[in-house]
Amino acid sequence: MKPFMDENFLLSTETAQELYHEFAEKMPVLDYHCHINPQEIAEDRKFDTITQVWLGGDHYKWRQMRSNGVDEYYITGDAPDREKFQKWAETLEKAIGNPLYHWSHLELQRFFGYHGVLNGDTAEEVWNLCNAKLQEDSMSVRNLIRQSNVTLICTTDDPADDLRWHKMIDEDDSFEVQVLPAWRPDKAMNLEKPDYIEYLDKLGKAADMEIKSFKDLRAALSKRMAFFDEMGCRASDHALEYVMYAPASDAEIEDIFTERLMGAQISREDELKFKTAFMMFVAGEYTKLGWAMQLHYGCKRDNNTTMYKKLGPDTGYDCINNYAPSSETADFLNALNEAGNLPKTILYSLNPNDDEALGTILGCFQNSDAIGKIQQGSAWWFNDNKTGMMKQMTSLANLGLLGNFNGMLTDSRSFLSYPRHEYFRRILCELIGGWVENGEYPKDMKSLEKIIKGISYNNAVRYFGFNLETKY
């Protein structure tokens, strides 16, 4: 029997162990998509308790605590931090087979030096150890990033954001890690939302202009994109229900936008037409700027209306949307390509049934503009587990070029989440090592080194065009 989560955790063959320890283990981390708060980096925040850094805002953990029958008072309520931690520890011991079990113990090992097992009985010991450790200067936000060997972070930022915290970080020579904005214009696109008019006013003020037409909206977005580009932005990100393609004339889009400004209810058909026009426009701008476009889709959000009214979005009530048609994704990319406006694009579907469809769509639009210009993103959200990662990478290998894959992103709100990259790299090496052991790929260590290091780090540096050393 193998020891619990030792140095060869998830590495079942000699080749897998060699690939991980020789090539993947020491590679830096490039976190090209996350939801951490740049203010906390600028101010170099320190956390008082493990509950603050572990359970604050982590809807992955919240879902599991609810599944264990834990009262909301101990999850998002006002219970003392110690009691919340106890409830999480009691939940974790039942999470056999869940990636949270592995992530949590990797974080305890890497940041706190704890190689035991967290459960209800050990919660007091772990609570005391972690809280004592958190008081050390080495556990400030910036030092957690340094410990994790991170070279660059892309946060997720609204077009109206003044990016003051990014500017503060950039001007601080004492912190060597790049923290760049990523463009997330969902609020500018979602005209069906009740606060859309108020948001346009905010965006207009940021762009120093009034927004009274779709033409004005495009101009305001272009001005803000230029500002983001000056601040180092190299990627956009979009949260979509699915990749829609419902083309309409310019005049029709202007009419839809005008109706919305006047307070009219917009039909679902008109909403999709507007969003298609919006995405067609911004994609063309990304092409001009050389940005990558990331499309996250296939999620049905805020399903528990009662709890949504109490807690708001991103609190653990989302699920996989089974409606994510590959034909519309292909039509959208084709329309951009026809117009000469197809940027580097990464497609993430929350539905694992889309893996094979995406693998075939990618090959339709690859060209010499970039190596792996159209990418399938890493297994996302409900799929970033051993099974999901193995499936996504196997599908990509079967239908495309796994060696050009951009690899893992953190997609987290926690500064302790960087061991997710280690988890991914171990699974990557196990997968490829198994193919080598089975005679499906030669044990050509020069080629394998290039593949493993590329997927771990170098491919993403090249793809996004970040100003970083790529030769590791």
Side-chain angles (χ1 to χ4, degrees):
M1 184 177 71
K2 294 187 66 176
F4 172 66
M5 292 184 64
D6 67 353
E7 69 275 7
N8 289 321
F9 170 57
L10 296 177
L11 306 171
S12 64
T13 66
E14 289 185 6
T15 302
Q17 293 166 15
E18 188 174 356
L19 293 177
Y20 178 73
H21 294 301
E22 291 294 323
F23 303 141
E25 185 173 16
K26 302 301 182 184
M27 290 294 288
V29 168
L30 177 62
D31 196 8
Y32 57 86
H33 173 67
C34 72
H35 298 279
I36 59 175
N37 186 346
Q39 180 179 351
E40 294 182 335
I41 302 176
E43 296 176 343
D44 201 16
R45 179 182 176 183
K46 289 180 68 175
F47 298 92
D48 297 322
T49 72
I50 183 63
T51 299
Q52 290 178 7
V53 68
W54 239 15
L55 297 177
D58 192 338
H59 54 81
Y60 283 56
K61 294 185 177 76
W62 295 351
R63 285 173 68 98
Q64 301 311 318
M65 293 170 76
R66 292 175 187 132
S67 296
N68 200 34
V70 175
D71 190 274
E72 199 67 29
Y73 171 70
Y74 300 99
I75 303 173
T76 60
D78 295 328
D81 281 1
R82 174 65 184 88
E83 294 179 21
K84 288 184 176 182
F85 183 76
Q86 183 69 35
K87 295 296 185 182
W88 167 241
E90 293 169 359
T91 298
L92 186 64
E93 64 183 281
K94 298 180 181 179
I96 185 170
N98 191 293
L100 282 168
Y101 195 87
H102 295 147
W103 296 345
S104 297
H105 285 92
L106 282 174
E107 291 168 24
L108 289 173
Q109 289 182 11
R110 300 297 173 260
F111 294 112
F112 299 97
Y114 182 78
H115 290 264
V117 176
L118 175 59
N119 54 39
D121 294 334
T122 62
E124 179 71 17
E125 171 193 6
V126 177
W127 168 263
N128 291 330
L129 181 151
C130 290
N131 290 346
K133 184 72 173 176
L134 284 170
Q135 307 315 305
E136 299 177 7
D137 290 342
S138 64
M139 299 297 284
S140 71
V141 159
R142 292 188 181 190
N143 285 324
L144 289 173
I145 294 170
R146 290 185 176 109
Q147 285 183 56
S148 303
N149 198 17
V150 178
T151 60
L152 187 146
I153 295 167
C154 291
T155 58
T156 305
D157 307 281
D158 185 86
D161 197 307
D162 62 11
L163 304 182
R164 59 184 293 231
W165 303 111
H166 295 83
K167 188 172 188 294
M168 186 180 298
I169 296 166
D170 181 59
E171 293 173 349
D172 185 350
D173 294 335
S174 69
F175 189 56
E176 65 281 6
V177 179
Q178 293 186 52
V179 180
L180 303 180
W183 172 267
R184 180 74 170 250
D186 298 347
K187 291 182 179 179
M189 182 182 71
N190 293 335
L191 85 168
E192 79 281 8
K193 299 295 185 182
D195 60 350
Y196 187 69
I197 306 302
E198 289 81 3
Y199 175 75
L200 289 183
D201 182 62
K202 180 180 179 181
L203 178 62
K205 289 177 180 176
D208 194 25
M209 60 178 290
E210 286 189 281
I211 299 175
K212 295 185 176 181
S213 65
F214 184 53
K215 180 180 178 181
D216 291 341
L217 176 61
R218 295 197 304 266
L221 291 170
S222 293
K223 289 179 70 173
R224 297 306 294 167
M225 277 188 246
F227 171 62
F228 270 60
D229 191 65
E230 290 173 3
M231 293 295 293
C233 180
R234 293 295 174 265
S236 71
D237 181 64
H238 300 261
L240 306 173
E241 186 177 350
Y242 59 92
V243 180
M244 73 292 292
Y245 183 63
S249 68
D250 291 345
E252 190 173 359
I253 299 302
E254 285 290 1
D255 288 344
I256 293 169
F257 192 75
T258 299
E259 286 184 23
R260 182 65 185 92
L261 289 182
M262 294 174 65
Q265 283 288 107
I266 300 300
S267 69
R268 177 64 170 166
E269 180 182 0
D270 284 348
E271 176 191 331
L272 296 181
K273 288 178 179 178
F274 175 81
K275 289 182 176 179
T276 297
F278 184 99
M279 291 301 303
M280 293 288 291
F281 166 71
V282 295
E285 296 298 291
Y286 303 155
T287 302
K288 296 174 188 175
L289 292 167
W291 291 5
M293 176 172 69
Q294 299 179 91
L295 304 180
H296 286 85
Y297 64 94
C299 180
K300 186 175 185 299
R301 298 178 185 272
D302 307 322
N303 295 290
N304 187 326
T305 304
T306 301
M307 295 306 295
Y308 173 74
K309 290 177 179 177
K310 291 181 180 179
L311 301 176
D314 303 320
T315 50
Y317 296 101
D318 305 327
C319 70
I320 293 172
N321 182 354
N322 200 43
Y323 181 67
S326 59
S327 59
E328 293 188 3
T329 304
D331 287 346
F332 173 65
L333 297 181
N334 184 57
L336 291 175
N337 193 56
E338 284 280 285
N341 287 334
L342 179 59
K344 291 179 288 187
T345 301
I346 309 176
L347 300 167
Y348 309 80
S349 175
L350 196 57
N351 191 338
N353 293 328
D354 289 346
D355 284 344
E356 286 72 25
L358 286 178
T360 61
I361 291 171
L362 307 181
C364 296
F365 300 101
Q366 307 287 24
N367 59 36
S368 60
D369 290 350
I371 296 173
K373 177 179 178 178
I374 313 299
Q375 291 260 340
Q376 182 186 8
S378 62
W380 170 46
W381 197 345
F382 296 121
N383 305 308
D384 56 0
N385 50 61
K386 181 181 176 182
T387 302
M389 290 179 184
M390 286 280 196
K391 179 184 181 304
Q392 182 265 335
M393 287 190 282
T394 300
S395 175
L396 182 56
N398 286 338
L399 298 168
L401 290 176
L402 181 62
N404 289 335
F405 179 35
N406 281 340
M408 187 59 173
L409 57 144
T410 306
D411 193 24
S412 171
R413 293 167 174 80
S414 171
F415 292 97
L416 294 185
S417 292
Y418 296 112
R420 294 184 190 182
H421 286 261
E422 176 184 341
Y423 183 68
F424 166 83
R425 292 173 186 180
R426 287 176 179 272
I427 292 168
L428 168 69
C429 293
E430 171 71 3
L431 179 65
I432 292 179
W435 290 336
V436 173
E437 292 269 341
N438 201 39
E440 298 176 49
Y441 192 91
K443 195 169 184 179
D444 175 352
M445 297 307 286
K446 183 177 180 180
S447 295
L448 290 166
E449 178 181 11
K450 186 176 181 180
I451 291 171
I452 296 296
K453 289 186 174 182
I455 297 171
S456 296
Y457 181 79
N458 290 333
N459 290 352
V461 175
R462 178 189 65 224
Y463 185 84
F464 290 98
F466 295 129
N467 184 24
L468 290 166
E469 174 60 57
T470 61
K471 300 298 183 182
Y472 284 92

